Amino acid sequence: MVIKNVAVIGAGTMGSGIAQVFAANNFNVTLVDTEQTYLDKGIKTISSSLDRLIKKNSITADQKDTTLKNIFTATQLDSIPHDTGLVAEAIIESKSAKLSIYNKLNDIVNQDCIFASNTSSISITELAATTRPDRFIGMHFMNPVPMMQLVEIIRGYATSDATFDIIKQLSISLGKTPVEVFDYPGFVANRILMPMINEAIFALFEGVASAQDIDTVMKLGMNHPMGPLTLADFIGLDVCLAIMEVLYDGFNDSKYRPCPLLKKMVAAGKLGRKSKEGFFKYD
Ligand code: CAA
């Protein structure tokens, strides 16, 4: 199956990054979100990311223009072309919200269309169950999508070999490195990363060190490009909490209990960069 048209559902941090990568590789992208303001913000994020790539001499101004021209924005799912070959879903980490989107999409796009979820941790098998389990897969990109090489590819219980092969080749054609992981809570990336971030929040909560010093230890001691608390702000504290809750519910193991400080900050609307304040403040 040759995929030319891709639909990206969700114009947030991850969805706009995914749309950018497909559009930069000459796919026709329909970027869908519920409000035009979200779409405008997503296009602005894409444009500034492309400007950074121009500054690095990674792309030309013409390539930026072509990439943006390859993206069509829409606030209605039924604006998605019937001959779309891939839907990449990147909406909030809510199973019910995702299932509702897939059920609507099932009647809009053709039967060959593959559904790929960018979910950070929710079971692909469960997400696939109500629509097209053989043509459903996890395609888990890393933030910031234009910069990060990894795509975790997660088969659901019924994902076909053909679907897996198409998505693996597609990831490579995007210049990414696909890694197959199995469908268990958190897959690999967040099964390892998020408990580390949660532990950093516990260290802050228990007064082991300041937020700045916790991040300094991991940057200078472990050569991490970002400290765990800065990274949590970058990912979004609401996303971090949702992932910890999936791990906690999925494994029924208290070691995955979310830190009370994380829960309190999310409840207070301190979500990190996207709310201009998390463990640190942002302009
Ligand atoms: N678009 C284009 N270029 C970008 C960019 C973007 N979004 N972000 C950074 N860059 C470029 C910058 O222009 C810069 O280029 P030069 O070095 O040539 O000037 C380069 O990348 C480095 O950027 P910065 O100088 O801003 O800062 P940095 O050196 O720290 O790199 C970073 C930024 C790549 C984000 C780096 O900090 C990093 O790798 N952080 C860790 C990110 C990470 O762990 N991501 C995974 C999170 S988990 C996840 O995403 C999955 C999930 O389910 C939650």
Side-chain angles (χ1 to χ4, degrees):
M1 176 171 99
V2 176
I3 296 175
K4 193 60 194 141
N5 295 336
V6 171
V8 178
I9 317 297
T13 306
M14 297 307 286
S16 55
I18 294 166
Q20 175 183 336
V21 168
F22 276 105
N25 285 278
N26 289 317
F27 288 86
N28 301 318
V29 177
T30 303
L31 179 60
V32 183
D33 211 316
T34 53
E35 308 278 339
Q36 191 57 44
T37 48
Y38 302 153
L39 292 165
D40 295 345
K41 186 164 183 282
I43 294 296
K44 195 159 163 276
T45 304
I46 293 169
S47 184
S48 58
S49 170
L50 293 167
D51 287 340
R52 294 176 84 168
L53 294 174
I54 291 171
K55 211 168 132 219
K56 289 169 54 157
N57 296 320
S58 303
I59 64 169
T60 63
D62 287 350
Q63 284 172 306
K64 172 186 177 184
D65 290 347
T66 306
T67 298
L68 291 172
K69 283 196 182 92
N70 286 338
I71 302 173
F72 168 80
T73 59
T75 56
Q76 302 298 323
L77 285 176
D78 56 17
S79 303
I80 295 171
H82 181 68
D83 63 351
T84 294
L86 171 73
V87 171
E89 169 271 311
I91 70 165
I92 52 167
E93 278 298 86
S94 152
K95 189 170 137 191
S96 56
K98 292 177 186 290
L99 289 173
S100 158
I101 291 275
Y102 306 142
N103 290 330
K104 289 179 187 144
L105 284 167
N106 218 25
D107 300 330
I108 293 170
V109 294
N110 66 49
Q111 280 312 301
D112 292 334
C113 181
I114 292 170
F115 288 3
S117 176
N118 178 62
T119 181
S120 303
S121 56
I122 300 173
S123 165
I124 297 300
T125 302
E126 290 177 26
L127 292 179
T130 63
T131 50
R132 45 185 77 188
D134 60 325
R135 295 184 307 296
F136 197 108
I137 197 162
M139 218 179 165
H140 182 213
F141 292 88
M142 302 292 134
N143 185 10
V145 178
M147 300 303 296
M148 307 305 281
Q149 277 296 304
L150 176 69
V151 181
E152 279 186 315
I153 301 184
I154 310 104
R155 287 174 189 255
Y157 192 86
T159 303
S160 68
D161 291 345
T163 297
F164 176 80
D165 292 341
I166 290 167
I167 294 299
K168 183 176 177 184
Q169 288 313 314
L170 184 63
S171 302
I172 292 167
S173 75
L174 295 174
K176 301 296 183 185
T177 301
V179 174
E180 180 181 9
V181 299
F182 293 100
D183 190 18
Y184 293 104
F187 314 137
V188 171
N190 284 317
R191 172 78 180 268
I192 298 168
L193 176 69
M194 221 34 85
M196 179 196 76
I197 288 179
N198 195 49
E199 205 53 45
I201 301 170
F202 265 110
L204 179 63
F205 176 58
E206 293 163 12
V208 178
S210 70
Q212 193 63 54
D213 289 342
I214 289 167
D215 275 11
T216 300
V217 166
M218 296 308 285
K219 285 198 293 185
L220 301 190
M222 271 39 94
N223 215 20
H224 287 194
M226 281 174 165
L229 300 177
T230 303
L231 183 52
D233 280 351
F234 184 60
I235 291 168
L237 301 191
D238 50 338
V239 175
C240 294
L241 178 56
I243 293 166
M244 285 311 299
E245 284 169 343
V246 166
L247 294 175
Y248 188 45
D249 297 343
F251 292 111
N252 303 114
D253 187 331
S254 64
K255 75 177 178 182
Y256 295 116
R257 74 195 184 290
C259 177
L261 175 59
L262 174 59
K263 293 166 87 166
K264 187 163 84 170
M265 290 179 74
V266 171
K270 306 295 180 197
L271 306 181
R273 279 195 192 186
K274 61 183 158 185
S275 68
K276 303 210 183 304
E277 185 179 347
F279 293 106
F280 304 101
K281 289 189 167 51
Y282 303 88
D283 296 335

